[in-house]
Amino acid sequence: MIGYIILILIVATFLSLIVRRDILPIGAIIISFLFLVFLAAGSGIVLFEFGGWEAPFGIVWAADKLSMMIAMLVTGIASLVAVYSLRYIKERRHRYYSLLSLMTIGMLGVSLTGDIFNLYVFFEIFSISSYALVAFFLDDYAIEGAFKYLVAGSFATTMLLLGIALLYGSAGTLNMADLSSQILQTPMFLVPLALLITGFGLKVAMVPFHFWKPDAIEGTPSPIGAIFTAVSTSIGIYCILRVLFIFSLIELNTLLIVFGVVTMVVGAVMAFMQDNIKRLLAYSSISQIGYILLALGLGTYLGISGGLYQLLNNAIANALLFLSIGVVILYSGGRERLSNLSVKNNILMFCFGIGALSIIGIPPLAGFASKYMIYLAAWEVSPPIAAISIIVAAFTLAYYLKAFSCVFLNPRGRTEIKGIPLIMLIPIIILAALCIILGILPHLGLYVVEPAVQALTNSSGYVAAVLGGG
Amino acid sequence: MIAETYITIVALIVLGIYCLVWKSNLVKKIIGLGIFAKAVHLLLITIGFRPGGIPPIVTPQNLQTFASLSVDPLPQALVLTSIVIDLSITALALSIAILAYRHFRTLNTKNIRRMRG
């Protein structure tokens, strides 16, 4: 069944290039989101065998609850961004929409597939369309950012291919469930593991590999910035989790904790020094990825739930911030510097504030529950790490205060924004409402996250379901 | 024979990464990326190769001996897919390089504003 989602999206992508109707890709993305919600309500692991070939021999798509959660996040955010972009993108819109839907295809494929080479192929589809989207405006910043991202990203994906080649050479299979049942923890597998982690880490933009992200986000249209910070990082983290699961090394905690803490601190410090609002948000998202990596590295049940919950909240809040800042930049004539960007609009101020507070982790909002879980989990493992993560949260508060007061509270040279189209406001308000609802009723979020955590920790169930044939 | 191939692969990977990271010309970076990708393709093919193997095509004559003689066909399929991907990345990279040249009148990353590495 799930294979047909991709079919619908592919048809819509290429048809929209010919007939130039924006409704096709938008409709296809929204339909795939609704379809996934419907599918996720069922129980167990959804299997799809391409061409009817069974698990270790053919390409199999296996969607457990973790894949479902990521796929719903991808299509959900992508549909909001697609609706929002109707008024944001003024020219060459059919190309924009076909690239956006191609990017969604790639991310969806990565999250649903059960075959590691198939994962690589979809990763490339997602990467190539995102390079093109970064260059979409064709101005100086866009081209610089796109080339930098392209070089870093292609280096990463070639690393992935190298890792997959070595993995195939030593294990003789490409099916992830089969791989994980065959691999014994020998030092020989450390090389492909390191290559795969490097490749995905570059895409996640964890700290030694973060250099491309602020440039890429500075050049890209703001709605795509929302996709970058919210969704494509989630895809990278999902891939890291899957790889660690292949190697049954979910207890490979020290590495992730070190990467997480460094990423968190460096991202926050760099965000504080930025003058450009989009770069500030980019560094902020890098810093938040650090929290997720740290929480997943802790390896306890509380830590993993906190990490995945943070992934969800972070995606919602980052998308909200980028969509509302997109309106601000659009209406103030493309200015992005904090020093001369100043607007007056109460709805945008409220929504940006909600997003920022949720990222910082202030109590009545969504980010609080997940951050609190991460603090608790970190405290159990090592109190100094918990202290560092709380200090970084204070830093986050500081740079968001700076951004907020510069953009919305600065009385000098203020542009008043009036008459924002409803089609742009609706996605922003939906995301803000989600932030508030998940904050007041955190168990609603856990209702989605909990099965994903169970799917992640119960890896033998996945292997049995895939190899047993469905 | 196989050992020499592996040495060549390692040399090509090192050369490709060197070219990608340390050269400051955009086109040279793209060439480095290409060399790196081709080295990985060569590695995949070599992994599936066996000395004296036959092409992985089943005919009525070799039906009995096929499994014991043929080279592994899967890496060849993977490489075909990967070549297509590599081609599209190279095409996109070159078109962005052309745009960069039109905008900045240079291909040298050191002269393009803020563009380092």
Side-chain angles (χ1 to χ4, degrees):
Chain A
M1 275 295 269
I2 43 177
Y4 296 113
I5 304 177
I6 295 289
L7 193 64
I8 295 171
L9 279 165
I10 291 177
V11 169
T13 304
F14 290 102
L15 208 59
S16 78
L17 273 180
I18 300 167
V19 300
R20 305 201 168 186
R21 288 275 180 281
D22 303 331
I23 191 71
L24 280 170
I26 300 177
I29 294 173
I30 294 176
I31 286 173
S32 55
F33 172 63
L34 296 177
F35 190 67
L36 279 167
V37 171
F38 168 72
L39 219 55
S43 64
I45 294 173
V46 184
L47 282 181
F48 184 85
E49 292 163 344
F50 279 87
W53 290 86
E54 274 184 15
F57 308 111
I59 293 174
V60 177
W61 276 21
D64 59 0
K65 292 295 173 196
L66 177 65
S67 310
M68 284 291 188
M69 176 185 144
I70 302 285
M72 279 196 293
L73 199 63
V74 167
T75 46
I77 302 273
S79 20
L80 292 177
V81 165
V83 171
Y84 174 92
S85 304
L86 267 176
R87 286 299 173 88
Y88 192 89
I89 303 294
K90 299 279 190 334
E91 52 194 15
R92 297 180 292 143
R93 208 191 291 158
H94 57 288
R95 291 190 197 168
Y96 174 86
Y97 272 112
S98 43
L99 282 172
L100 179 64
S101 124
L102 206 56
M103 196 171 164
T104 317
I105 292 174
M107 294 192 286
L108 209 54
V110 169
S111 55
L112 296 178
T113 187
D115 182 281
I116 195 156
F117 189 77
N118 201 227
L119 186 144
Y120 162 76
V121 172
F122 277 106
F123 210 82
E124 285 282 21
I125 292 176
F126 146 59
S127 305
I128 294 174
S129 43
S130 62
Y131 308 144
L133 276 172
V134 170
F136 187 77
F137 279 158
L138 297 179
D139 57 12
D140 289 6
Y141 292 102
I143 287 166
E144 268 183 44
F147 198 83
K148 215 169 183 177
Y149 181 30
L150 189 142
V151 168
S154 323
F155 180 68
T157 45
T158 314
M159 285 292 216
L160 290 185
L161 187 61
L162 186 56
I164 291 169
L166 293 177
L167 211 54
Y168 179 73
S170 44
T173 179
L174 289 168
N175 185 290
M176 290 201 272
D178 200 19
L179 272 175
S180 83
S181 66
Q182 289 202 3
I183 283 178
L184 305 166
Q185 291 188 14
T186 53
M188 202 172 74
F189 287 105
L190 282 179
V191 179
L193 176 71
L195 288 167
L196 291 173
I197 296 273
T198 314
F200 292 128
L202 249 155
K203 280 289 173 174
V204 177
M206 63 192 193
V207 143
F209 317 119
H210 68 290
F211 54 90
W212 57 269
K213 195 172 183 185
D215 291 305
I217 284 181
E218 195 178 357
T220 194
S222 302
I224 298 303
I227 295 231
F228 266 112
T229 53
V231 188
S232 64
T233 51
S234 315
I235 288 288
I237 287 170
Y238 166 80
C239 290
I240 289 183
L241 283 177
R242 270 277 176 260
V243 165
L244 291 183
F245 147 74
I246 291 178
F247 290 90
S248 348
L249 284 173
I250 201 65
E251 64 275 7
L252 192 81
N253 36 24
T254 355
L255 186 72
L256 280 187
I257 290 177
V258 169
F259 274 127
V261 170
V262 173
T263 304
M264 183 160 98
V265 172
V266 173
V269 172
M270 292 299 286
F272 198 72
M273 302 193 303
Q274 297 308 312
D275 182 37
N276 181 305
I277 180 75
K278 273 168 140 178
R279 289 181 81 88
L280 187 146
L281 293 183
Y283 274 113
S284 148
S285 80
I286 292 174
S287 168
Q288 299 310 309
I289 291 159
Y291 277 98
I292 302 172
L293 289 176
L294 163 69
L296 295 172
L298 291 171
T300 56
Y301 190 82
L302 186 65
I304 294 175
S305 340
L308 287 181
Y309 198 12
Q310 172 73 9
L311 188 96
L312 181 71
N313 287 335
N314 181 38
I316 294 170
N318 262 317
L320 171 60
L321 288 174
F322 262 94
L323 293 189
S324 41
I325 240 25
V327 181
V328 169
I329 292 172
L330 188 68
Y331 277 81
S332 55
R335 278 178 290 173
E336 291 175 6
R337 299 256 161 240
L338 282 178
S339 44
N340 63 6
L341 180 71
S342 166
V343 295
K344 182 176 190 303
N345 183 297
N346 289 337
I347 300 177
L348 284 183
M349 185 167 90
F350 178 72
C351 292
F352 186 87
I354 294 282
L357 291 177
S358 172
I359 282 203
I360 300 161
I362 301 285
L365 292 166
F368 170 69
S370 51
K371 281 237 167 127
Y372 189 59
M373 282 159 86
I374 294 176
Y375 298 149
L376 284 184
W379 184 264
E380 278 172 14
V381 174
S382 134
I385 291 178
I388 293 175
S389 43
I390 292 173
I391 292 169
V392 171
F395 248 83
T396 315
L397 176 68
Y399 61 75
Y400 271 112
L401 260 184
K402 175 185 152 194
F404 187 79
S405 59
C406 282
V407 176
F408 292 105
L409 303 176
N410 182 2
R412 275 186 301 129
R414 218 180 220 190
T415 326
E416 185 151 0
I417 299 180
K418 274 189 192 140
I420 304 169
L422 207 58
I423 213 154
M424 288 179 110
L425 267 184
I426 288 173
I428 297 179
I429 289 173
I430 290 177
L431 287 168
L434 269 177
C435 272
I436 298 173
I437 293 170
L438 285 183
I440 297 170
L441 306 164
H443 54 272
L444 277 184
L446 284 176
Y447 184 70
V448 181
V449 171
E450 203 80 2
V453 180
Q454 269 153 21
L456 187 64
T457 43
N458 172 26
S459 55
S460 56
Y462 178 85
V463 174
V466 173
L467 291 184
Chain B
M1 170 64 186
I2 297 275
E4 284 94 324
T5 320
Y6 279 117
I7 293 169
T8 316
I9 291 164
V10 172
L12 282 177
I13 289 178
V14 171
L15 186 70
I17 293 179
Y18 164 76
C19 199
L20 180 68
V21 177
W22 275 281
K23 290 289 171 188
S24 56
N25 187 304
L26 292 190
V27 176
K28 284 184 185 165
K29 274 184 190 289
I30 297 169
I31 293 172
L33 201 60
I35 294 174
F36 186 18
K38 263 68 174 186
V40 179
H41 296 168
L42 192 57
L43 173 69
L44 264 170
I45 290 290
T46 318
I47 283 173
F49 182 72
R50 71 162 60 139
I54 60 168
I57 301 166
V58 182
T59 56
Q61 282 79 38
N62 68 6
L63 205 56
Q64 303 299 320
T65 52
F66 180 77
S68 58
L69 285 181
S70 130
V71 299
D72 188 352
L74 186 64
Q76 305 189 354
L78 303 187
V79 166
L80 274 179
T81 316
S82 182
I83 285 174
V84 176
I85 293 171
D86 188 41
L87 174 80
S88 51
I89 288 186
T90 312
L92 186 66
L94 285 174
S95 57
I96 292 177
I98 292 171
L99 285 171
Y101 186 73
R102 284 197 193 140
H103 274 257
F104 307 109
R105 308 308 300 172
T106 175
L107 282 174
N108 191 331
T109 44
K110 284 177 186 142
N111 297 339
I112 295 177
R113 195 166 31 94
R114 293 185 307 120
M115 193 179 199
R116 305 268 184 270

